[in-house]
Amino acid sequence: MKKQLITLATATAMTAPAAVLADAHSDGPEVYGRAHLSVDVENYDDAAGDSGDIAIASRASRLGFRGSEEIGGLEAFYQAEAQVDWGTPGNFETQARDTFVGLGGNFGELRAGRLPALNHIVYGPGNFFPTQTGDPGNVIFAATGGNLGGRTPSAAIEYVPPLAGPVDIAVALTPSAAGDADEGYDHDISLVVDFNEGPISARATVYHYNYDETEETVIAGRDPDGNLVPVGEQLSLEDVNTDTLFALSGEYDMDIMRFGGGFAAVSSDRDDADNQAVWGGGAFDVTSTGTFNAQASLHLGDADDSDVTILALGYTETLSDRTSVYGNIAFLDNDDAVGVAPHGYAAIAPQDDPGTGEDGQVLSAGVIHDF
């Protein structure tokens, strides 16, 4: 669905020379979005000892507009996107997602704004439960201690050089002023390398980032002194820390079957925070419209008793080009010092996380509609 809107690009074009306007071609704005809702049955004990809760979750549902304009051999483009909560009656919650302006040409592509961080890794190749119960993002988020997880830098600059062949590279910089320069932040820097050739796709990511622990930070496991931290507790710590996250993922497509996985490792300033995450799985087309999915995801904690294993099984039925339904089950095994849920990443829901050391399952049924 497309709607004509007044945009900054249009306003800028009004002041451009007539020769440039004559050579300009506008595409958009296009309004787009996704509605993704699931019903999740939580078969585990939460911190209060309760179990069997049912939650309705909106999972990375979004609404946005985007467009582009060709001007004298260059292409100006823009996007504004927000995450929306389709699942809570009377609460149309919004949260900014990827929002940027950019310019492309023979020099490559340059964009600035609110850009992806951890999602470069989570939604790369090898994820067969994206934004669903069983998403490897749950253990990757835990590996970062929540300090990079879910972050979308609001003042980042990204450059994509014009490479030929199967390799693409994106380099991004978040200036120190995007944090609090008075607290001693350095620049955040990321490098993403994609390879796509025939049935093989792969992605390598390096992210060097800073965070201020004088703010409240959710940490699952142990605090810097080695003390057990109840799940969901907010810690007020000190100092600015610098972590580096390395990740590699890949996928092989055999037409009716796809398999792949990935690995991520954090090198942290904090004690007992050099965590790792490993995930692997596959998808098998059992009919022309139905797919069986399986994925195992592990969080390998640096602290004692902080490993997590999630095993997810699911079936997806494609109803049309825009709509699909699915049913998943995720089995959860938490060590004594952690309580990671298998369905929390990318979800907006009044869900209860598992209590520390609690195991169990989550049953999930959902619908996804793109427009």
Side-chain angles (χ1 to χ4, degrees), residues 63-258:
L63 183 64
F65 65 88
R66 59 195 171 198
S68 63
E69 185 172 24
E70 295 180 5
I71 306 174
L74 299 176
E75 181 181 44
F77 56 90
Y78 57 89
Q79 175 178 297
E81 182 176 299
Q83 179 166 296
V84 295
D85 181 2
W86 300 102
T88 304
N91 179 26
F92 193 72
E93 178 181 344
T94 62
Q95 177 180 339
R97 289 174 54 90
D98 300 357
T99 299
F100 51 83
V101 294
L103 190 66
N106 292 333
F107 62 88
E109 186 176 285
L110 187 67
R111 63 176 177 163
R114 191 174 178 87
L115 304 177
L118 191 67
N119 285 348
H120 272 312
I121 299 171
V122 174
Y123 300 128
N127 184 344
F128 300 97
F129 288 81
T131 73
Q132 301 178 21
T133 294
D135 191 333
N138 293 287
V139 297
I140 303 171
F141 179 88
T144 68
N147 295 303
L148 176 64
R151 285 182 54 188
T152 305
S154 57
I157 304 168
E158 182 182 76
Y159 173 65
V160 179
L163 300 180
V167 177
D168 290 310
I169 295 176
V171 181
L173 170 72
T174 303
S176 59
D180 185 347
D182 293 336
E183 296 292 340
Y185 275 91
D186 291 326
H187 302 311
D188 289 1
I189 302 172
S190 68
L191 171 66
V192 180
V193 180
D194 283 323
F195 176 86
N196 293 281
E197 180 74 16
I200 301 174
S201 58
R203 173 171 294 174
T205 306
V206 179
Y207 207 110
H208 183 76
Y209 56 100
N210 304 266
Y211 53 94
D212 182 2
E213 287 192 323
T214 60
E215 300 175 355
E216 291 183 323
T217 303
V218 177
I219 297 179
R222 297 178 182 269
D223 65 18
D225 296 323
N227 301 311
L228 286 175
V229 178
V231 174
E233 180 170 319
Q234 303 273 328
L235 298 182
S236 182
L237 305 175
E238 298 177 355
D239 299 329
V240 174
N241 288 319
T242 300
D243 290 0
T244 303
L245 176 62
F246 305 89
L248 180 65
S249 61
E251 187 173 322
Y252 190 86
D253 189 343
M254 301 174 62
D255 292 332
I256 66 170
M257 182 178 181
R258 297 160 298 285

Side-chain angles (χ1 to χ4, degrees), residues 56 189 225 261 288 297 299:
I56 297 177
I189 302 172
D225 296 323
S288 61
S297 305
H299 170 254

Side-chain angles (χ1 to χ4, degrees), residues 272-332:
D272 297 328
D274 292 339
N275 303 313
Q276 299 176 357
V278 181
W279 61 99
F284 180 75
D285 297 334
V286 294
T287 70
S288 61
T289 58
T291 303
F292 173 77
N293 305 293
Q295 187 116 43
S297 305
L298 288 78
H299 170 254
L300 307 176
D302 191 19
D304 294 338
D305 299 322
S306 60
D307 292 349
V308 181
T309 300
I310 298 172
L311 175 61
L313 305 173
Y315 177 81
T316 299
E317 181 70 23
T318 301
L319 303 180
S320 71
D321 290 341
R322 295 184 175 184
T323 306
S324 61
V325 294
Y326 65 85
N328 298 340
I329 182 170
F331 301 92
L332 174 67

